[in-house]
Amino acid sequence: MVQRCPIRFVFIKSTQGSNHLDENFHDNFYQARETGLIRGAYHFWSNKTSASQQARYFLSQVHLEDGDLPPVLDVEKIPDDVPMEEFKNEILTWLTIVENYYHVKPIIYTNYRFKEQYLSDARFDNYPYWLAHYYVDKMDYKGPWKFWQHTDAGKLPGIRGYVDLDVYNGSFYDLRRLTISENVDTTTE
């Protein structure tokens, strides 16, 4: 618990780009389930490799199960040498490949200003958002969002150093309904 708020879910970094797996991902992901947390995995976007390569790498390394949160794409930087429309299409490519595999809309993680500046596009409106907006009492973003990362300087018992802390925008029942259903068949691609 953090200040009388139960910890119910956790997002764990899994992959980055098309060839980097967080060295602690598999242990952390397994242990999160063992401790009863609703768990999710996120992929950190790289502007150096294609969306399809990144999506395939994520899917080869992350095996989400019934009760897990939808996959997350963490996108925080625009490329210097790619037109904005092409960048948006690449983001949509990753989202589409992963959605087709898991049959659930992936979550987009970014900070609220990046969302407003680069992802305020009707093509992204149906995706759930996890928005970073630190050190404020309330979320300034006026659109719909599912998760709010309100600090990167949280402390939890048993963890050395700082952790990000998040709030879900809804009830625990709604959070459970957001998870991947046992009816999802990930054997087809």
Side-chain angles (χ1 to χ4, degrees):
M1 299 233 330
V2 175
Q3 299 173 353
R4 297 179 307 272
C5 295
I7 303 294
R8 303 261 174 116
F9 65 89
V10 61
F11 287 107
I12 301 165
K13 181 179 181 183
S14 59
T15 54
Q16 181 171 337
S18 62
N19 63 4
H20 176 77
L21 175 69
D22 185 283
E23 65 185 31
N24 298 313
F25 170 69
H26 291 294
D27 287 340
N28 291 340
F29 202 62
Y30 173 79
Q31 290 174 19
R33 166 102 10 143
E34 288 298 302
T35 61
L37 292 170
I38 299 172
R39 63 188 185 172
Y42 72 90
H43 172 79
F44 192 84
W45 177 261
S46 169
N47 289 314
K48 296 179 180 172
T49 56
S50 77
S52 59
Q53 289 174 314
Q54 293 186 62
R56 284 193 298 272
Y57 185 66
F58 174 82
L59 293 173
S60 74
Q61 298 297 322
V62 178
H63 307 289
L64 299 174
E65 300 174 1
D66 174 43
D68 289 339
L69 290 165
V72 178
L73 177 60
D74 177 340
V75 57
E76 302 179 29
K77 293 184 180 176
I78 60 169
D80 295 328
D81 56 349
V82 175
M84 185 54 59
E85 190 60 27
E86 188 177 330
F87 170 67
K88 289 179 181 182
N89 285 334
E90 282 287 284
I91 298 298
L92 285 168
T93 297
W94 191 97
L95 294 168
T96 301
I97 291 169
V98 173
E99 181 177 352
N100 288 340
Y101 184 81
Y102 280 114
H103 308 288
V104 63
K105 290 256 184 230
I107 297 167
I108 300 172
Y109 170 90
T110 194
N111 71 67
Y112 87 101
R113 287 194 175 110
F114 190 95
K115 160 57 174 124
E116 288 177 335
Q117 189 168 3
Y118 303 113
L119 300 177
S120 287
D121 184 313
R123 296 174 293 178
F124 299 108
D125 286 351
N126 291 326
Y127 291 95
Y129 275 92
W130 172 21
L131 297 173
H133 187 45
Y134 297 156
Y135 316 122
V136 294
D137 294 330
K138 64 182 178 76
M139 170 65 77
D140 284 342
Y141 179 69
K142 302 301 180 213
W145 54 273
K146 291 289 186 186
F147 297 92
W148 169 26
Q149 188 172 90
H150 58 90
T151 186
D152 60 352
K155 296 292 278 174
L156 289 175
I159 297 177
R160 284 181 288 170
Y162 294 112
V163 297
D164 301 333
L165 295 177
D166 303 280
V167 173
Y168 177 71
N169 188 18
S171 68
F172 184 64
Y173 174 76
D174 291 335
L175 177 65
R176 296 288 304 158
R177 287 185 56 214
L178 182 64
T179 62
I180 294 175
S181 167
E182 64 188 41
N183 298 323
V184 171
D185 177 15
T186 60
T187 59
T188 60
E189 189 170 346

